[in-house]
Amino acid sequence: RVQVVSVTGKFLRRFGQGILQSPWGIAVSEDNVYVTDCFLHAVLQFRKKDYELVRRTGTEGEGEGQLNNPRGLCIDYNGDVYVADSSNNRVYVFYKVLDFLKHLFTQQLWSPRDVKVTPSSVVVLDWSPNCVHFFSRSGALLRSCVTQGEDGMVYGPWFFCLDPAGNILITDFYGHNIKILSPSGQLMHTIGKEGHGRGEFKRPSGICVPELETIFVYLWTQILFFIGTPV
């Protein structure tokens, strides 16, 4: 299921119970909520006004209309839905009504974990080589940022987001922290360490930056956590 809470952590409602089996990624448009389910190998569209299921698309496989362990997803400026089709090593693009549009980067990815779209590029977090790839909207590789190394190693990149300044924030599931990289891929900050106290994390997973001074982090063992951005 999916639980909806306010920015202060107050529970508002839940939806998807009895439908979802292993919800993973979530993206919200003006009218709809889209959820990937890695056990169902599907993307599900819920109507935002009442959270009723509108459509489910995807079955396990490699062909058109099929997914294999879909993870992160996002919505572009046209309302199209981009899905990190993890075990098929590609990004899947649907129209906003979840009709198949196209596959992207089928020869360039190993295990895409998450995807974001900017006005000029498609940005993909690739789990296996620990890279963030920047592609043009037409599919050409622009650059890659390696996120592992002696300085600032990312042990388990889980999800990522881009802040308003274009910096890359990655949740490190096994490192129990957040890495902040510059738009060119240079390590700027590491936030947190393993633990349950203030400023500490235990398996950070989802992340978003609604504004420059705030980071919202979903922890594997908690619902919501938020901290200020270091500047």
Side-chain angles (χ1 to χ4, degrees), residues 4 6 11 13-14 19 23 34 48 51 60 77 83-84 87 98 109 114 116 143 154 164-165 178 202 206 223 230:
V4 184
S6 71
F11 171 79
R13 66 170 300 151
R14 62 176 60 95
I19 300 172
Y34 300 89
K48 192 175 178 181
Y51 296 99
E60 184 175 5
Y77 301 92
V83 179
S87 294
L98 294 186
L109 299 173
D114 200 6
K116 299 290 181 285
R143 67 182 188 276
V154 179
I178 299 166
K202 188 69 174 180
I223 295 175

Side-chain angles (χ1 to χ4, degrees), residues 43-86:
V43 182
L44 297 93
Q45 176 186 358
F46 295 87
R47 192 166 45 231
K48 192 175 178 181
K49 66 178 181 180
D50 56 12
Y51 296 99
E52 291 296 318
L53 180 66
V54 175
R55 186 171 183 184
R56 167 184 164 177
T57 189
T59 57
E60 184 175 5
E62 301 177 357
E64 183 176 312
Q66 294 185 308
L67 299 164
N68 196 346
N69 291 318
R71 303 289 182 166
L73 76 165
C74 69
I75 302 167
D76 76 359
Y77 301 92
N78 297 318
D80 296 332
V81 181
Y82 287 63
V83 179
D85 191 6
S86 183

Side-chain angles (χ1 to χ4, degrees), residues 148-196:
Q148 66 177 3
E150 292 183 1
D151 297 325
M153 174 179 284
V154 179
Y155 293 95
W158 214 252
F159 281 101
F160 82 106
C161 69
L162 304 173
D163 73 9
N167 299 314
I168 307 163
L169 292 82
I170 303 173
T171 52
D172 191 347
F173 187 81
Y174 297 117
H176 307 286
N177 56 40
I178 299 166
K179 297 294 195 307
I180 302 180
L181 282 63
S182 70
S184 63
Q186 299 299 310
L187 179 67
M188 298 171 59
H189 301 284
T190 298
I191 303 175
K193 61 181 181 179
E194 183 175 3
H196 297 282

Side-chain angles (χ1 to χ4, degrees), residues 28 36 59 61 100 105 157 185 223:
V28 181
T36 55
T59 57
F100 170 74
F105 324 132
I223 295 175

Side-chain angles (χ1 to χ4, degrees), residues 84 91 105 108-116 122-135 141-149 152-162 168-172 179 181-186:
V91 170
F105 324 132
Q108 298 157 299
L109 299 173
W110 289 91
S111 182
R113 178 70 62 165
D114 200 6
V115 59
K116 299 290 181 285
V122 180
V123 190
V124 182
L125 177 64
D126 205 354
W127 163 274
S128 182
N130 280 16
C131 283
V132 177
H133 302 292
F134 290 77
F135 296 93
L141 179 63
L142 302 175
R143 67 182 188 276
S144 297
C145 303
V146 179
T147 60
Q148 66 177 3
M153 174 179 284
V154 179
Y155 293 95
W158 214 252
F159 281 101
F160 82 106
C161 69
L162 304 173
I168 307 163
L169 292 82
I170 303 173
T171 52
D172 191 347
K179 297 294 195 307
L181 282 63
S182 70
S184 63
Q186 299 299 310

